[in-house]
Structure formats: C-alpha cells, structure tokens
Amino acid sequence: MKLIHLALIRIGGYIKHYRLVFILFFLGAVISSFVFTYFYGNTQFLRNDKTENSFLLRLFEVYLPENQPIQPEQLHLLDEYGISEVELRHTCVLPEETLERLPPGVPTYVTSFLYNLEKEGNGPLFSPEALTQGRLIVDKAYGEGVQSLTIDGQDFPVMDTVTHGMGVIYAPIQFFMEEFGSVYYLSFQTETILSREDMEAAYSRLQEAFPDAGQIIAPSQYIEVTQDLQTSGLARNALTYVVSLLSFLFLFKYMLDCSKLENVVSYIVGANKRSVFAILTLETILLSAAASLCAILIHAAFYTDVFSRWNQSDTPFTYTALDYGVILLSTVVLALITTLPFLFASLRNTPVHLKGIYEE
Amino acid sequence: MKRIWLIKEFYKKNLLAVVFLLVFMGVSIFNAVELLGYIGYNTYALQMMDKLRLDDGFYCMSASRQDDLTTVINPETFPAVEMVIRPKTDFVVHGDDHWANIMLYDDQVLERFRFLDKGKWLTESSHDPNQPVEVVLCGQAFDGVAIGETLPINHIGPDGAVDWQAEVKVIGKDEEPTMAFSFGTSGDRVTAADIFANVTNAIYMNKADYLRLSGADRSQAHSHFMVLFRPDADEASRQAVLDAAEAQGRYNTFDQIREYSREDLSAQLKRELPEPLFTLCVSVFAMISISVLLTHKQMRDYRIYYLVGCPRRTCFVSTFLSIFLIGLVAGLVNIGYLLYFFNNFSMIQAEDSFKYGRYLIMNSSYLYITLFVLLASFLSVLIPFGILRKQTTIELYGGRK
C-alpha cells in the first residue's frame, strides 16, 4: 500500500513539474492502447467466423483415392449432429471433343446434393419434378441447349444449363446413386458449429466409415489454421503497441531521469534498490493501466456509433467485458516489458553518484 | 557551420530517440505509400474506363473456350451492336532477346481507342509495302526507343527458329503508366482492374500489316470480349444482345464493372487502411512528443547559448531544423525508393512481390510525402516554439534555479 502511495506521489510530481511532457506521454499511451484495442478485436478471426456461422467451421470432407461405391446409409452417418447438406462427387471421363470446350486442367466430375441445396438456402437446384427424373444440369460451356452429355461412355439427357462454375455437371441424388453409385469425394455440412468433442466424435465416425480415405478434413483443422493466423495477428498487434509505446517512453524516461532526486531521498531514508525498483514498476503499471482504461472507456463509449464502422471485417462484432479485461492486462504486461530497460537504466547509478549529480 | 555544429550536438545528445523516430516515421510513410500505390492501380483502371469512354456496353464471358461468341454477337447479327472488341496478340523478339507482345485490333477499334501519349496513332494500313510497318510502342521496355526510329523485330516460330523478321517504324508511344485491354478474367463480379492489365512491352500494330508481315494469322485471343452498343439502339434491341450473351455465357455491363470496382476498392480500403493510418498518426504524435522532449532537454544548452550572446531566433531555427531534418530524411528515403523503382522497373506492377499485389507508382506520391513531412514538422515545432517564445532569456536562465 505504501509503495502504491509513493508511486502515486511520484506521478503527482510528474504532473506538477513536467505537465506538458506528462500530458504528451499519457496521450501517447492512450493512443497506443486504443490502437491495441482496435486491432485486438479485428484479429479475432475465429469469433467472426463463428458469428457468420462460416461453412468452413461446419464442413467435414472425405477424399477417397478413387471412385468407391457408396451406400445410401453412409450419407446419413452424421445425421445426429444436424446436417444441412451432403455433397457427393463422382470423377468421370468425358469425350475428347467435350473436354476441348473446357480450359485445360479443369477437373471433371458429376456432383449431387442430398438436400438439393435447399437447407443452406441456395436452392433448390432441381425442381421437385426434376428430382425424380434422370436428367442433368450442366455448365453452359458444354453448349447452350445441349440435349445430352456422354459421361463414362454413356449418354445422359440434359435438362438445363447454368454458370455455377467451369464444367460443372449436376445430377439429382436418386439418379446419381442409381447411375454412378460411387464417389471420390463427399462432404457433410452441419447446420451449426459443433463443439470440440462433437467434432472429434464426428471425425472418428468418418474415419471408421471410410478407412481407405486419403484424407478426412474436419472443421477442427480449419480452426487450428485460423488460430495460428489469429496468433500471428495478435503478435503483430503487440509489436505495433510496443513500437508505438516506445515512441512515447522517451518522455517517460525523461521524467524518470529528472526525478532521480526522489530515488536519492528514498535511498537516504533506508530504501534498498529492490524497493525503489518496485516503486518504479508500480508507477509503470498504474500509468499504463490508467492509459489503457481511458482508451477502453473511449472505445466502449463510441463503439456502436463510430468505431464499429471502422472495423476491417464486414461481420459485426462486439467487445465483451472479458475482451476489455484481456486488453487491459495485455497492455499493462506489454508496457511493463517495454519499460523494463528504462527502469533498469534509471537504477544503474549508485545513491552516491545520484546525490553527486544533484549537488553539482 | 556553427549552426550545423549545433544541430550535430542536438542529435548526438539524443541519438536513440532521433534514430528511433527516423526509422518509425520512415516505415510509416513506406506503408502509406504502398497502400497509395494499390489505390492508384485500381483507380487508374477505373480512369482508363472513363478515358476510353466505356459507358454503353458490356464485357461478355463465353462459357466455352471453344465457341467464338463473336460469330453470334456482332454488328451484322445484332443492329444494336456498334462494335466488338476482341484484341488478339502475338509475340516477337526485339533487341537482345527481349520479348514483346504484338497487340492487334480491328481498324474500327483502332479508330475508336487511342492508347497514345506521344506521336501519331495507327492509321489504316494503306502505306507503301516497301516502307517499314508503322507501330506504336507501349511500356517501360521501350523507354530507350525514340519516335521516328526503326526497330528490328523477329518472330519465332513453333520450332524455335525465326520464321519472319521485319523493321518497324515507331510513329507513337504510350508512356507509363501503361494499361491495355486484357480479357482473360471470367466471373460473376468483374472489376476494372480485371479487364485492364499493366503492359510493359507491347507493340500496337495494324492487323492488316501484321498479316502482310507474317503471311498467316498466328495470333491468339481470349474467348471473352467487349461489346459497345450503338447510341441510338433501343432498350429492346440491347436486351436481345444481352440475352444472347447470357444464353452462352455471362456478362457484366460497364456500369456493373464500375460498381463492383468501387465496392471492391472500398472493401479493400476498409481492410487495409487502418494499419498505415494508425502508424502515420502515431508517428506524427511521436514526432511532436519527441520534439517537445528534445526542446526540454536542450533548455540547459540554450541558457548557455543565450549567455554567450546567441539570439533566441537562432536557437529556435536550430531546433526547427533539427526536428524537420528527421522528417525530411524519412521522407527522402521513401522518395528515393520511389525514384529507384521508377528508374529501374515499370511504374505499374501486378506481381505478388508487393504487399497488395497490384501497384502503381503515382507522381502524386511525391507530393503527398512532402506534404506529410511538412505538416508533421510544422505540428512538431509548434509546441517547442510556444515554450521558447514564452520565456525570456532571464526567465529561461532563472528556470535552472
């Protein structure tokens, strides 16, 4: 308590004797904390993805080495987790003259959707009548008004053309299962983002069901990648804060240097170096916490009307009390780390030397 | 000399703060200049659309690479169509193994669009076959070639051997920044930056001249193209053309392209602007703070200068110069970087080596850097000026006690 009191007295001394320098330093610290607060929210990629209910956080993908027979019940493997769509792809062989219409390297496969793209709100792809008919929807690249398409050496009737992607071929699910019946890729899209445990359980179930799969991708893998991205974003944010704060710490060092007499007095009345260091550290903590609090208060007060419009993401997000707590703690810790060299430097001189400086 | 010594002393005593500020400010300006280059590229592509008066028409993307949709959509089949723009290209070698694109346009297109800054534009190929073919050069690769000069070009055949060669006469130049039509992009949202590409080594040549030189058409073209409507075409006939385009591919009207370009630019700015903007603001505030600090630290020296007869004005000018020089050096480093780039590379780039992928060095960048440095320096000396002005020599000296 005594240390806090002493630290506050020193801060009061700065305000009294070096008002302009102190104001500039404090304003600089507030600006730096504000920048940190802004970028902290804008690097929370995972939270934004969750707010958007991003399909990448809901997507399980199975890649098989080649077309493999698939049973209807395998399409319902993850039903208990709430599935909004299942996509199936059958790699196919097209005649040379058909391939010439497509850019080189475009993969050719027949696609089918279990729920006709309706649950995700992008459909329906096929009308209810067309779903029961054995006709395809194909890319316009195969020719406007094309009547049939030869796939794997067999002619299939075409009902419509679209521009959904280069070379796409869509088949109704029932027709797909009857005529092609094998897939090299399938994906399950859940309605909501699953918990970590459910993701792991669903992943294990897919592993058991498709032991020959070349690769099975669960949303947890995407989460890991995004978390890495988020970590690097936060590290960059921390660096920006430190560099920004460093610009103003020269002012702080000046005030520390000018207040060395305080240290001399402390030594004379029996304080050891550790106590003086503790006072200086407390001073830093109090100042950085005050600056951070100011920045947080300004940010919170004007967030809805002003600062939310400056956000880099189009997905709206809000800062929670926990976010602000993390920001406060982070800025104090970072400020302390940044100030340490300045604090050590101010303690380097012996009491006798310091006293000598002031007796000059 | 004395003043230089005073400034040197100023820096010597505050080396760490000065170096830190210099680096911080330099990096902040660099980030801002890079972003400015990105904005420049995208706005320049939009400006090209305005410059070429692309107002009434659309960009048509054929679904198949095999179908030539221009056989379906053209002025003969649709009276609403004024012209179809489908540039063709070929490659030649000039100088010591330098490749260049030959850009071939129909006479009607050449008449309507002029990619020219100096000299004459191409006319119909009606000149003497014994005279060299007239060309317009485009891009940084031809900086050393003057108008009126002749340029030897070689066409390399599929077997790697020269199958024809010619001397072409330079009648005009399209100088940097240089953009030309590029119709390789397909998608639902095409932007201006997608239909124009930076060209650093192109030769505009009349199609008939090219055919006369090469003997056969070896040029290539994308399956996508642009269509311009006749100004007097009614709504129904325009819609018929658009329906025909929709039937065999997709299209974006010029208005849509402009709208998507602005939307993309605004979204990109929203993502990218905060960081350079924040660092610029922090660097200016840091400059103000450090200049105040340095003035405070210099007070002791000023007392001595005053006592030995140095006028206050000299002290103030020394302080101002010392602070201004920090911003000046940071600005000069960035201007130097731009000049180096300008002299050694194309002004306009679309490579992944840049942070934003696309980049255009704008002449206005120099002006912005200079204005920023002047503004930051002005703001930085305001407070020290107030401090020094407020105190008389006696007060300043008395302040020590």
Side-chain angles (χ1 to χ4, degrees):
Chain A
M1 200 60 208
K2 197 170 86 181
L3 290 181
I4 294 175
H5 184 68
L6 283 171
L8 285 172
I9 289 175
R10 282 178 69 105
I11 293 170
Y14 297 152
I15 298 170
K16 195 175 168 189
H17 300 297
Y18 314 103
R19 189 166 296 152
L20 182 62
V21 174
F22 180 82
I23 289 171
L24 285 172
F25 165 70
F26 193 72
L27 268 179
V30 171
I31 292 172
S32 306
S33 301
F34 182 84
V35 172
F36 186 86
T37 308
Y38 173 85
F39 284 115
Y40 177 86
N42 280 279
T43 44
Q44 300 295 310
F45 306 122
L46 209 52
R47 185 174 56 187
N48 292 352
D49 283 342
K50 282 180 182 167
T51 313
E52 274 178 359
N53 199 22
S54 165
F55 83 97
L56 289 168
L57 291 177
R58 299 184 283 126
L59 189 69
F60 291 85
E61 294 175 288
V62 180
Y63 290 89
L64 298 164
E66 57 189 357
N67 282 336
Q68 286 186 7
I70 182 126
Q71 302 306 317
E73 57 271 20
Q74 286 180 297
L75 307 182
H76 299 278
L77 272 170
L78 303 182
D79 275 5
E80 69 176 90
Y81 300 106
I83 293 298
S84 62
E85 195 54 274
V86 179
E87 184 186 348
L88 299 90
R89 289 181 194 169
H90 167 90
T91 184
C92 62
V93 179
L94 298 176
E96 200 56 43
E97 62 271 21
T98 308
L99 285 174
E100 280 172 5
R101 304 181 67 88
L102 304 176
V106 170
T108 49
Y109 50 82
V110 183
T111 309
S112 188
F113 296 97
L114 182 61
Y115 298 116
N116 201 24
L117 290 178
E118 281 180 275
K119 284 193 179 181
E120 277 290 308
N122 303 321
L125 183 61
F126 290 94
S127 65
E129 303 79 52
L131 264 179
T132 58
Q133 299 166 353
R135 292 195 295 164
L136 308 171
I137 293 177
V138 300
D139 182 29
K140 278 179 189 168
Y142 296 112
E144 178 63 14
V146 60
Q147 295 296 310
S148 69
L149 199 64
T150 307
I151 302 170
D152 294 342
Q154 200 182 332
D155 278 351
F156 291 98
V158 172
M159 60 174 281
D160 202 0
T161 55
V162 288
T163 52
H164 289 185
M166 191 47 81
V168 292
I169 303 168
Y170 296 122
I173 184 70
Q174 201 182 330
F175 179 68
F176 181 94
M177 294 300 282
E178 284 166 7
E179 293 297 328
F180 303 106
S182 61
V183 295
Y184 79 97
Y185 167 91
L186 81 161
S187 69
F188 298 84
Q189 201 163 314
T190 56
E191 285 166 348
T192 54
I193 298 165
L194 303 184
S195 66
R196 276 274 181 174
E197 293 74 33
D198 283 347
M199 276 182 200
E200 293 308 318
Y203 180 73
S204 304
R205 193 171 292 183
L206 290 175
Q207 273 185 319
E208 280 168 28
F210 301 99
D212 301 334
Q215 196 182 13
I216 298 176
I217 299 173
S220 48
Q221 281 151 288
Y222 172 74
I223 291 173
E224 277 167 28
V225 172
T226 311
Q227 268 169 346
D228 288 346
L229 205 66
Q230 202 164 296
T231 309
S232 65
L234 284 173
R236 195 181 162 89
N237 186 18
L239 185 71
T240 309
Y241 174 74
V242 168
V243 172
S244 168
L245 194 65
L246 264 175
S247 324
F248 306 106
L249 278 180
F250 291 105
L251 302 170
F252 184 55
K253 187 179 179 298
Y254 173 72
M255 291 190 289
L256 281 181
D257 288 345
C258 291
S259 310
K260 278 178 182 167
L261 188 61
E262 299 270 340
N263 299 353
V264 176
V265 173
S266 302
Y267 288 135
I268 288 171
V269 296
N272 55 20
K273 270 199 171 186
R274 192 186 289 176
S275 307
V276 174
F277 184 74
I279 295 169
L280 295 178
T281 308
L282 264 175
E283 215 179 295
T284 310
I285 291 172
L286 289 172
L287 282 171
S288 58
S292 189
L293 267 177
C294 280
I296 286 170
L297 286 175
I298 294 167
H299 189 267
F302 298 102
Y303 181 72
T304 316
D305 295 328
V306 184
F307 302 130
S308 60
R309 292 176 197 180
W310 296 1
N311 283 334
Q312 290 164 304
S313 164
D314 286 329
T315 311
F317 63 88
T318 50
Y319 287 70
T320 61
L322 181 68
D323 287 331
Y324 283 130
V326 172
I327 290 165
L328 180 64
L329 193 69
S330 309
T331 46
V332 170
V333 170
L334 285 169
L336 205 55
I337 293 168
T338 318
T339 329
L340 276 180
F342 290 93
L343 299 184
F344 280 122
S346 69
L347 286 176
R348 216 167 32 202
N349 296 326
T350 61
V352 174
H353 181 227
L354 283 173
K355 191 167 172 287
I357 292 172
Y358 281 91
E359 281 177 353
E360 267 180 19
Chain B
M1 193 61 206
K2 203 161 45 180
R3 188 165 288 165
I4 292 171
W5 187 86
L6 287 177
I7 292 172
K8 200 182 95 188
E9 282 300 299
F10 180 90
Y11 289 144
K12 225 162 107 181
K13 285 178 187 164
N14 308 291
L15 194 62
L16 193 60
V18 168
V19 169
F20 180 83
L21 183 62
L22 182 67
V23 173
F24 187 35
M25 187 147 252
V27 172
S28 305
I29 297 174
F30 181 78
N31 282 341
V33 165
E34 247 199 341
L35 182 66
L36 215 58
Y38 173 75
I39 299 167
Y41 188 98
N42 286 283
T43 48
Y44 190 71
L46 263 171
Q47 281 168 22
M48 283 293 289
M49 282 192 78
D50 294 337
K51 191 175 153 190
L52 298 175
R53 290 180 289 117
L54 294 174
D55 301 315
D56 192 13
F58 64 94
Y59 174 62
C60 184
M61 295 155 271
S62 171
S64 162
R65 78 179 164 116
Q66 205 180 34
D67 296 338
D68 181 3
L69 265 189
T70 56
T71 57
V72 179
I73 301 171
N74 57 55
E76 281 76 44
T77 52
F78 289 97
V81 173
E82 185 184 358
M83 72 172 77
V84 168
I85 307 159
R86 192 179 181 216
K88 291 189 162 191
T89 54
D90 199 351
F91 301 96
V92 287
V93 175
H94 67 95
D96 299 328
D97 206 23
H98 290 120
W99 285 90
N101 297 298
I102 296 186
M103 313 284 274
L104 303 161
Y105 292 98
D106 292 328
D107 287 343
Q108 196 187 10
V109 178
L110 286 177
E111 210 172 291
R112 164 77 191 262
F113 301 109
R114 285 166 181 261
F115 297 90
L116 183 78
D117 288 320
K118 270 185 188 169
K120 278 196 310 178
W121 186 235
L122 302 168
T123 52
E124 286 180 25
S125 54
S126 57
H127 53 267
D128 186 350
N130 298 320
Q131 292 294 314
V133 164
E134 293 180 341
V135 295
V136 170
L137 301 181
C138 162
Q140 188 242 358
F142 298 108
D143 274 357
V145 185
I147 293 172
E149 278 184 30
T150 53
L151 186 75
I153 55 170
N154 300 308
H155 187 273
I156 311 293
D159 57 350
V162 174
D163 58 0
W164 59 266
Q165 49 191 329
E167 292 252 320
V168 291
K169 187 183 176 191
V170 181
I171 59 163
K173 286 186 86 175
D174 184 17
E175 296 195 316
E176 296 226 274
T178 43
M179 273 189 174
F181 288 130
S182 170
F183 295 159
T185 301
S186 176
D188 291 329
R189 289 173 58 90
V190 173
T191 65
D194 292 327
I195 55 170
F196 288 101
N198 63 309
V199 179
T200 56
N201 55 347
I203 300 172
Y204 286 105
M205 190 185 284
N206 194 295
K207 208 182 254 180
D209 286 335
Y210 164 79
L211 288 174
R212 186 159 56 80
L213 290 177
S214 65
D217 190 357
R218 293 191 182 88
S219 63
Q220 291 180 329
H222 284 292
S223 51
H224 312 324
F225 55 94
M226 256 182 196
V227 173
L228 299 189
F229 286 126
R230 284 186 190 284
D232 56 351
D234 60 45
E235 207 49 49
S237 53
R238 284 163 195 253
Q239 193 55 48
V241 184
L242 294 175
D243 290 344
E246 177 74 32
Q248 303 202 42
R250 61 181 98 180
Y251 68 86
N252 275 172
T253 62
F254 293 151
D255 287 341
Q256 282 174 323
I257 292 173
R258 282 193 172 85
E259 185 190 329
Y260 298 150
S261 308
R262 289 189 189 111
E263 280 173 7
D264 275 17
L265 187 63
S266 143
Q268 192 76 15
L269 275 180
K270 200 175 170 192
R271 275 196 303 276
E272 305 291 352
L273 189 61
E275 201 179 322
L277 198 66
F278 276 132
T279 48
L280 270 186
C281 289
V282 171
S283 69
V284 172
F285 197 72
M287 193 166 173
I288 295 171
S289 306
I290 290 178
S291 69
V292 169
L293 171 73
L294 299 185
T295 310
H296 269 277
K297 287 173 92 171
Q298 286 294 106
M299 284 296 190
R300 186 190 165 111
D301 290 350
Y302 289 151
R303 284 170 208 139
I304 298 165
Y305 299 160
Y306 287 177
L307 282 176
V308 297
C310 175
R312 280 165 49 145
R313 196 176 155 184
T314 309
C315 285
F316 178 71
V317 170
S318 299
T319 309
F320 173 76
L321 282 176
S322 310
I323 293 162
F324 175 66
L325 270 177
I326 301 171
L328 184 72
V329 171
L332 281 178
V333 167
N334 276 283
I335 287 176
Y337 164 77
L338 289 181
L339 284 173
Y340 166 77
F341 208 90
F342 182 72
N343 287 322
N344 292 281
F345 303 96
S346 169
M347 276 173 82
I348 189 162
Q349 297 281 328
E351 290 170 10
D352 292 335
S353 54
F354 295 98
K355 186 180 171 188
Y356 301 109
R358 292 161 171 169
Y359 192 91
L360 166 66
I361 297 173
M362 295 186 296
N363 288 331
S364 53
S365 299
Y366 304 114
L367 179 71
Y368 292 140
I369 294 173
T370 312
L371 283 178
F372 173 77
V373 169
L374 284 175
L375 181 74
S377 307
F378 174 72
L379 291 174
S380 304
V381 293
L382 269 185
I383 301 177
F385 178 71
I387 297 169
L388 291 173
R389 194 168 171 266
K390 214 167 61 181
Q391 295 182 329
T392 62
T393 311
I394 300 294
E395 278 171 338
L396 194 63
Y397 186 67
R400 186 178 181 263
K401 289 174 183 170

